[in-house]
Amino acid sequence: MRAAPPPLAGGVPGADALRPLLGAVLDALRTGAEERGGPLPAGGPEAVAHRTARLGAVLPETGTGPDEALRTLVHALAAGAADPADPLCAAHLHTPPLALAAAADLAASALNPSMDSWDQAPAASALEALVTTALAAEIHPGAPRPDALVTTGGTESNQLALLLARERLAGERLAGERLAGERHAGERHAREHRTGEGPTRERHARDRRTGEGPLRTVVGANAHHSFRRAAWLLGLPAPVVVPTPRGVLDPAALHAALTDTPGPLLVAATAGTTDEGLVDPLPALADVCAAHGADLHVDAAYGGPLLFSRTHRPLLAGLDRARTVTVDLHKLGWQPAAAGLLAVRDTTDLAPLAHTADYLNADDDTDAGLPDLLGRSPRTTRRPDVLKAAVTLRALGRTGLGALVDTCMELAQDLADRIEKTPALDLRARPVLTTVLFRPHDADDTTVAAIRRTLLTGGRAVLGRARADGRLWLKATLLNPHATPDDLDQLITLVEGSAHR
């Protein structure tokens, strides 16, 4: 006789089935963190791989049962994690997720809506439309028809921005050719009627926006690497890279680059660079783009959530002038990954994503009123990642989210103050967002890299690395609103101690 199948997570019985399993998971998360005892496991890659290999067969002939499997593997993952909830884990834009957001993500997993057709995600698709419309209006407050797509994060959003720009260019060219053809046919007919002349060959004058050649992307040297990959994936020329010796894209340098670059152009500016957390001068860059007939995209994956802060929102002045904007809520939004957005100033810019698959969005179903979801993403099956964001927005509100942003911004200033008062350390510059670059005084790059690896493999601190002014710097990215002054002092002490070894 066959055993009963394992219980499901959904339906009325699902909650009762989940409850004991969640107890096992929560216990294992706690015991794993206790075993780790710091921001990440000690011993480096080989030690972690060895401990993981001791877990045994991935697919045993006879299963161990849900309680054992959850306790063993979740404990192992927690014990071997780089935990962004530890204040000394501060290397990357790797946020510690809020407990309420993680709880909401559990509900998304249990219900398992698939966001590619309405009959798989009735309420989830309606909620996504509500949230994306609201967030798009935050980013483009003066636009009559703003919209946003939910993405897996900055890389997908930036790729989509290039895709939409390429397809928009193709559509504008096609429309222009049709219009020119109609106009020339009328002129030819009138000329033939008037003079008896036969057809003549004519050249079409094209403006900069729809000029000859493929779309060219122009980025600063400070831009995210995803633009190079996106251009490659989309069959576009490699981006034109404008040097950024001061860390931000200079309007005069952009003007020179656009002057020298033929064809239609998309400029990608940055609001929150990965290495230094700097914000390009968006209003001036928008002016340059307008003068050259270039579209503007802003990668605000890092800095975008400053919109929630009344204090720091002015740093994003000019963001609303971009045609497309990338924002990540799994950075300064404290969401479990993935939680990205691509906002557009006009919803018609999303038209190139329209696609029909009869089993998902048949024309007669759409005509009958069933929402068409395939045009909301190039992906088909996708999770309702909007739920955790919606819960967070509702629970904390603008004031609560803004307070979290302000706290992390203040922590970065506090760390910079402490570094400046430490004779053995050099501060690269005052932070703009929550990224602080520093290094031991008189240390060479080899020593700086070795300090980072020593702290990493010892399980004592997770710091990033960034190159600026031709030198290598340690990078602290402060996204933990629970960090304290004592935590900042401990970070400094660890770096000083490693430098003197």
Side-chain angles (χ1 to χ4, degrees), residues 41-359:
E46 288 187 7
V48 173
H50 178 69
R51 287 193 292 268
T52 305
R54 292 199 316 234
L55 291 171
V58 172
L59 182 62
E61 188 63 31
T62 301
T64 62
D67 188 79
E68 188 281 337
L70 283 170
R71 291 183 185 276
T72 298
L73 294 180
V74 173
H75 175 97
L77 197 66
D83 187 356
D86 189 302
L88 299 182
C89 187
H92 303 287
L93 291 165
H94 178 200
T95 198
L98 297 173
L100 70 93
D105 219 18
L106 167 66
S109 294
L111 294 169
N112 204 31
S114 184
M115 304 294 290
D116 49 327
S117 66
W118 185 87
D119 58 3
Q120 299 177 87
S125 59
L127 181 64
E128 182 177 274
L130 193 67
V131 173
T132 52
T133 298
L135 291 176
E138 289 287 324
I139 297 165
H140 290 113
R145 295 183 298 177
D147 202 351
L149 302 176
V150 175
T151 71
T152 55
T155 295
E156 184 187 3
S157 295
N158 290 337
Q159 182 178 337
L160 280 173
L162 267 66
L163 171 66
L164 294 175
R166 186 192 70 179
E167 296 307 300
R168 184 167 60 244
L169 171 64
E172 290 172 352
R173 283 176 169 169
L174 181 59
E177 289 170 359
R178 287 174 178 168
L179 181 62
E182 293 170 0
R183 183 177 65 248
H184 293 160
E187 291 172 353
R188 183 174 64 251
H189 177 75
R191 185 171 56 250
E192 291 173 358
H193 179 74
R194 190 171 58 250
T195 66
E197 296 175 355
T200 60
R201 179 175 296 175
E202 300 178 35
R203 295 182 179 273
H204 300 322
R206 301 178 185 270
D207 64 18
R208 179 63 177 270
R209 187 179 296 277
T210 58
E212 298 288 350
L215 177 73
R216 299 300 302 272
T217 307
V218 181
V219 304
N222 62 349
H224 194 260
H225 65 83
S226 58
F227 290 105
R228 296 190 297 276
R229 179 173 289 185
W232 170 69
L233 286 170
L234 294 170
L236 296 172
V240 175
V241 179
V242 181
T244 54
R246 293 181 177 85
V248 294
L249 186 54
D250 178 66
L254 177 64
H255 167 74
L258 297 186
T259 300
D260 293 341
T261 305
L265 302 169
L266 173 69
V267 173
T270 307
T273 59
T274 302
D275 279 351
E276 298 186 69
L278 304 179
V279 178
D280 287 340
L282 302 181
L285 296 178
D287 289 341
V288 173
C289 289
H292 285 269
D295 281 336
L296 175 63
H297 169 71
V298 175
D299 178 3
Y302 180 6
L306 267 66
L307 290 170
F308 299 127
S309 166
R310 289 184 173 85
T311 301
H312 297 102
R313 186 185 181 106
L315 286 171
L316 298 181
L319 183 69
D320 59 329
R321 295 179 63 184
R323 189 156 190 169
T324 51
V325 177
T326 290
V327 175
D328 277 1
L329 295 177
H330 57 238
K331 293 182 172 69
L332 277 174
W334 297 277
Q335 299 299 294
L341 289 172
L342 177 69
V344 296
R345 200 165 52 213
D346 191 316
T347 189
T348 59
D349 279 353
L350 300 178
L353 293 177
H355 180 69
T356 299
D358 197 56
Y359 74 104

Side-chain angles (χ1 to χ4, degrees), residues 301-486:
Y302 180 6
L306 267 66
L307 290 170
F308 299 127
S309 166
R310 289 184 173 85
T311 301
H312 297 102
R313 186 185 181 106
L315 286 171
L316 298 181
L319 183 69
D320 59 329
R321 295 179 63 184
R323 189 156 190 169
T324 51
V325 177
T326 290
V327 175
D328 277 1
L329 295 177
H330 57 238
K331 293 182 172 69
L332 277 174
W334 297 277
Q335 299 299 294
L341 289 172
L342 177 69
V344 296
R345 200 165 52 213
D346 191 316
T347 189
T348 59
D349 279 353
L350 300 178
L353 293 177
H355 180 69
T356 299
D358 197 56
Y359 74 104
L360 293 172
N361 62 341
D363 289 341
D364 59 320
D365 277 347
T366 302
D367 292 342
L370 293 182
D372 179 357
L373 304 185
L374 277 187
R376 304 300 300 177
S377 174
R379 292 173 286 145
T380 305
T381 301
R382 60 186 179 94
R383 299 181 77 249
D385 286 320
V386 74
L387 176 60
K388 58 200 174 195
V391 168
T392 302
L393 295 170
R394 182 183 181 94
L396 301 186
R398 185 189 305 278
T399 301
L401 282 166
L404 291 177
V405 171
D406 294 345
T407 295
C408 291
M409 297 282 278
E410 291 162 6
L411 282 168
Q413 296 298 328
D414 190 4
L415 178 59
D417 290 342
R418 292 166 190 271
I419 292 169
E420 286 185 324
K421 295 173 183 176
T422 305
L425 298 179
D426 292 337
L427 179 70
R428 161 81 172 99
R430 298 298 306 185
V432 175
L433 298 183
T434 68
T435 300
V436 182
L437 299 189
F438 65 106
R439 54 183 281 149
H441 185 66
D442 291 336
D444 59 21
D445 287 356
T446 300
T447 301
V448 172
I451 290 170
R452 175 180 176 272
R453 287 192 292 269
T454 296
L455 294 174
L456 193 66
T457 57
R460 290 180 290 167
V462 189
L463 289 171
R465 54 186 286 165
R467 190 163 291 279
D469 284 342
R471 294 187 291 169
L472 187 65
W473 298 80
L474 297 171
K475 178 175 70 170
T477 308
L478 301 174
L479 299 180
N480 188 334
H482 290 274
T484 67
D486 287 345

